[in-house]
Amino acid sequence: MQRHSTTSPLLSLPGAVAAEGQDEGVAAHYGDLFREQRALADGKGLVDLSHHGVVTVTGDDRLSWLHLLLTQHVSELPAGRATEALILSANGHIEHALYLVDDGETVWTHVEPGTREALIAYLESMKFFYRVDVADRTDDFAVVHVPAGSIAEAPEGAVVRETPYGRDIFLPRADLESYARENGPPAGILAYEALRIEGHRPRLGFETDHRTIPHELGLIGSAVHLEKGCYRGQETVARVHNLGKPPRRLVFLHLDGSEVVLPGHGTPVRLAADGEEGRQLGFVTTSARHHELGPIALALVKRNVPVDAPLMAGNTAASQEVVVEA
């Protein structure tokens, strides 16, 4: 997967420890994970998301054209209103997740690290006769997240995407370090992830695999509009919505706090009653240590797993909270 070639200048700040894997290039934390979480929960600080790709679409047909490709209703999207959308395969599996806002002239979207090249290639292949221009703006703009309740203002030249859990700010990449120093202290991606898990917000590449459909993650409504025109994969979306239920469902897990190591992505989930030799019923997607809740995780499990059944995530005992109805 393609990643931006530079590391964030915020990694030079005191206490910064670099993240690994998908979040390589930004800080995992700045020396105090729980303090950083508490600050974000209190509406203070910011999170460096400069490793995300930034893709823009301009042109007179930008909204009507994107409306044909995305799962979300965007043909009449008002300027300044944030939304999120998916691009599905022909079989309805999630391929891309876009977090977007239109500023009246340009649709700005940020996407997961390593996905922008494939996204742009797909968008370019679908332009046909439409008056649109797709551009990779990752070299010029970086994304920072400020939490809900923050009084930090966006700098001149920035575009703001307002959501219930905070603001994503597209700001000139050259201004990233000065903005962080003026509006910090920064929180690392681990603090951001802990609050994301607490909020049951799925993330592409973590809560998704090659066969994930939107219903499994509770994305109908937030990222998938059921009353819009055709888009690739719509038949699967409509069929599952009208005739059945998805084969899997996202769950929130409270993990046994006595375990030292968190179960990582892909860790098998089984019924506690069946022990370690029991049949695998799902897998952990993301786990974190939360400043109030302790060890927590999201997992994808088979739909028919009883909602009140104690589970095991690897060797760790877990109780579940329903995110997607069985």
Side-chain angles (χ1 to χ4, degrees):
M1 298 174 73
Q2 180 199 35
R3 288 185 173 84
H4 196 261
S5 58
T6 60
T7 57
S8 172
L10 303 194
L11 282 172
S12 65
L13 296 180
V17 174
E20 299 178 347
Q22 183 82 346
D23 291 316
E24 180 183 0
V26 297
H29 60 83
Y30 294 88
D32 192 335
L33 173 62
F34 291 157
R35 177 189 60 78
E36 295 164 30
Q37 284 186 40
R38 287 191 291 268
L40 292 178
D42 291 339
K44 301 174 183 177
L46 55 85
V47 181
D48 179 8
L49 298 181
S50 62
H51 59 321
H52 281 215
V54 176
V55 178
T56 61
V57 181
T58 55
D60 292 343
D61 296 334
R62 66 188 184 282
L63 291 176
S64 58
W65 175 68
L66 285 171
H67 186 78
L68 299 173
L69 305 178
L70 305 181
T71 57
Q72 187 59 274
H73 196 299
V74 297
S75 61
E76 300 172 2
L77 185 68
R81 180 179 296 175
T83 191
E84 58 188 81
L86 307 173
I87 291 177
L88 306 180
S89 72
N91 293 322
H93 301 140
I94 299 173
E95 290 191 344
H96 292 282
L98 296 80
Y99 303 93
L100 58 91
V101 65
D102 184 82
D103 67 3
E105 296 181 351
T106 301
V107 173
W108 293 79
T109 181
H110 68 89
V111 298
E112 285 291 333
T115 67
R116 76 182 192 276
E117 186 175 50
L119 171 63
I120 291 172
Y122 172 71
L123 294 177
E124 289 286 353
S125 74
M126 301 300 292
K127 285 171 65 172
F128 304 118
F129 56 83
Y130 290 94
R131 296 169 295 175
V132 294
D133 182 58
V134 179
D136 183 351
R137 304 300 304 278
T138 312
D139 286 336
D140 303 317
F141 285 84
V143 179
V144 296
H145 174 82
V146 295
S150 171
I151 61 173
E153 296 184 358
E156 185 177 353
V159 175
V160 178
R161 181 178 175 273
E162 188 97 31
T163 75
Y165 51 88
R167 287 173 288 158
D168 297 334
I169 301 176
F170 299 82
L171 76 165
R173 188 169 286 272
D175 297 341
L176 173 60
E177 188 169 8
S178 61
Y179 184 78
R181 291 186 182 277
E182 294 170 3
N183 296 280
I189 199 70
L190 292 182
Y192 180 81
E193 284 289 275
L195 299 184
R196 178 183 71 79
I197 295 170
E198 179 192 15
H200 306 166
R201 300 195 304 272
R203 182 179 176 189
L204 184 76
F206 290 78
E207 280 65 55
T208 67
D209 57 20
H210 66 283
R211 59 192 180 96
T212 305
I213 60 176
H215 312 70
E216 295 176 326
L217 304 183
L219 293 175
I220 303 301
S222 62
V224 179
H225 198 289
L226 293 174
E227 298 179 5
K228 59 158 289 187
C230 293
Y231 55 87
R232 190 173 69 176
Q234 184 191 23
E235 294 82 1
T236 297
V237 170
R239 183 171 62 251
V240 174
H241 181 74
N242 293 321
L243 301 178
K245 293 185 177 181
R248 302 178 297 180
R249 59 185 177 87
L250 187 69
V251 296
F252 176 82
L253 299 180
H254 291 275
L255 302 174
D256 179 3
S258 66
E259 295 291 338
V260 175
V261 179
L262 290 173
H265 177 80
T267 299
V269 172
R270 298 179 172 88
L271 291 176
D274 293 343
E276 294 183 20
E277 302 303 320
R279 181 168 59 96
Q280 181 172 343
L281 301 173
F283 64 94
V284 171
T285 59
T286 320
S287 59
R289 297 189 186 279
H290 191 276
H291 69 287
E292 290 183 341
L293 301 176
I296 57 175
L298 293 174
L300 268 179
V301 300
K302 292 182 181 296
R303 178 174 55 84
N304 59 3
V305 173
V307 297
D308 58 349
L311 303 176
M312 293 293 292
N315 297 321
T316 303
S319 61
Q320 57 178 311
E321 288 185 10
V322 174
V323 176
V324 175
E325 295 293 334

